[in-house]
Amino acid sequence: MRTDASDLPRIATGGRVGQVDATVVPRFAGPATFARLPRIDEVSDVDVAVVGVPFDSGVSYRPGARFGPAHVRESSRLLRPYNPAADVEPFASQQVVDAGDIPVNSFDIEAAIAQVEAGARDLLERAGRLVTIGGDHTIALPLLRAVAAKHGPVAVVHFDAHLDTWDTYFGAAYTHGTPFRRASEEGLVDRSGCLHVGTRGPLYSRQDLVDDRDLGFQVVPSVEMDDLGVRGVVERIRDRVGDRPVYLSVDIDVLDPAFAPGTGTPEAGGLTSRELLAVLRGFSELNLVGADLVEVAPVYDHAEVTGIAASHVAYEMLSAMSPRTDPAPEVHP
């Protein structure tokens, strides 16, 4: 007998509806929402919405990130309710839902940007915060527009192999390599509190770094990870952003291709999955108001290596957003 998704047994805590109970329904069965969480139409109140943006028309090299949201969701089936490294139950202490995808125009970048902004603004009317799964990094600009409309200019902490503060590609102002330049120019970011982490690889010239600094960003390049260590990087982030509202943007190519081969612009010498996840746990002490995870391109992935890493990145984002007092879970059908 087939069971409707709304009838699946779920882990519930303090009135919050959590994951499908994996002791009753196998993880490889049932709907592929993120972490097998409820859809947004299955709950009344929402603290955090996970939303996909299947868009990759802004890429400059390998396409395919439009299939990222579905791939990350499928790769998230093994995520469990309790995060021991952070000592938090992210789905018990806050109501997290999967809000589906924001549909966008794949032939008109500016139209797509407007659709992402409108979709994010609508969701923020209902949810306190968004964790967005892309899609290419172009989507960070409209997401920042929506977040800044609610919180004012935000400190951006950007994990990426690349700066993404270039001016244009082929005369196009809106691409996956330009979102943070446009955001800075539009006054969406607090220029006194922005930071790149994990950048590496060749640049076009030294001027790239000069321009980046003028736009309000400091840089913790990948080559400094060994010297600073995870604690040192976390301290650099805390010192830079202070108590400002923080927007976290993670391009999965911040990871070395050994840990994330499924991406469009891979660069050697990146962070390990363990390093990235450990640094993200430091955001629990910051005023994290929104986050995105982008550039997962499953056609270049194998054995879900990139998808699994990405799903854990999103899990740590949700854990960092979670209040630190969790009631005991109970299971009911």
Side-chain angles (χ1 to χ4, degrees):
M1 179 177 178
R2 186 172 176 178
T3 302
D4 185 82
S6 61
D7 296 329
L8 292 172
R10 292 187 175 275
I11 300 171
T13 310
R16 300 182 186 94
V17 182
Q19 298 173 284
V20 173
D21 183 6
T23 67
V24 179
V25 181
R27 297 182 186 281
F28 45 81
T33 57
F34 182 81
R36 305 209 303 170
L37 289 164
R39 302 187 313 267
I40 193 169
D41 60 340
E42 295 179 299
V43 302
S44 56
D45 298 319
V46 179
D47 294 310
V48 186
V50 179
V51 61
V53 180
F55 172 84
D56 66 1
S57 299
V59 300
S60 59
Y61 194 47
R62 304 193 305 197
R66 66 182 62 184
F67 301 107
H71 189 62
V72 174
R73 287 184 174 108
E74 189 63 36
S75 301
S76 72
R77 288 179 175 271
L78 201 58
L79 294 173
R80 300 179 180 89
Y82 173 59
N83 183 341
D87 190 24
V88 69
E89 294 178 84
F91 312 134
S93 57
Q94 58 191 348
Q95 182 62 67
V96 186
V97 301
D98 190 318
D101 291 340
I102 298 174
V104 294
N105 188 326
S106 58
F107 299 102
D108 186 326
I109 292 178
E110 292 192 41
I113 287 172
Q115 289 170 316
V116 174
E117 181 183 353
R121 282 176 179 259
D122 286 346
L123 279 173
L124 285 171
E125 290 293 322
R126 182 170 179 187
R129 288 176 284 195
L130 304 182
V131 171
T132 307
I133 303 173
D136 75 53
H137 226 149
T138 310
I139 70 171
L141 175 61
L143 293 171
L144 282 168
R145 287 175 177 171
V147 169
K150 182 174 181 178
H151 297 282
V154 294
V156 171
V157 182
H158 170 223
F159 289 77
D160 201 322
H162 312 96
L163 300 172
D164 287 1
T165 51
W166 286 291
D167 192 11
T168 69
Y169 284 109
F170 301 96
Y174 303 106
T175 77
H176 74 160
T178 67
F180 299 110
R181 177 183 284 260
R182 300 286 92 85
S184 182
E185 291 171 345
E186 293 181 20
L188 307 177
V189 307
D190 183 336
R191 290 191 177 193
S192 66
C194 295
L195 192 72
H196 303 294
V197 181
T199 57
R200 61 190 186 278
L203 299 172
Y204 294 104
S205 74
R206 289 187 181 89
Q207 189 63 38
D208 292 342
L209 294 172
V210 174
D211 292 347
D212 187 73
R213 184 170 59 250
D214 291 343
L215 291 164
F217 286 86
Q218 291 184 0
V219 182
V220 181
S222 181
V223 293
E224 292 188 15
M225 177 58 73
D226 288 340
D227 292 334
L228 290 174
V230 168
R231 292 182 182 177
V233 173
V234 171
E235 287 302 316
R236 288 277 294 273
I237 293 170
R238 288 175 182 165
D239 290 346
R240 179 64 173 163
V241 305
D243 59 358
R244 300 172 180 84
V246 178
Y247 185 86
L248 168 61
S249 186
V250 176
D251 185 327
I252 203 63
D253 73 20
V254 74
L255 296 177
D256 189 89
F259 302 93
T263 192
T265 49
E267 304 275 3
L271 276 61
T272 68
S273 298
R274 183 176 63 250
E275 288 169 337
L276 175 59
L277 298 179
V279 173
L280 292 179
R281 290 180 196 120
F283 281 78
S284 64
E285 299 180 16
L286 303 179
N287 181 18
L288 184 58
V289 297
D292 67 56
L293 164 66
V294 298
E295 301 285 356
V296 174
V299 69
Y300 312 108
D301 205 9
H302 58 274
E304 292 186 312
V305 171
T306 311
I308 291 167
S311 70
H312 280 264
V313 167
Y315 184 67
E316 293 297 344
M317 290 173 169
L318 293 166
S319 296
M321 292 178 175
S322 178
R324 283 330 200 232
T325 54
D326 302 328
E330 61 185 61
V331 176
H332 71 77

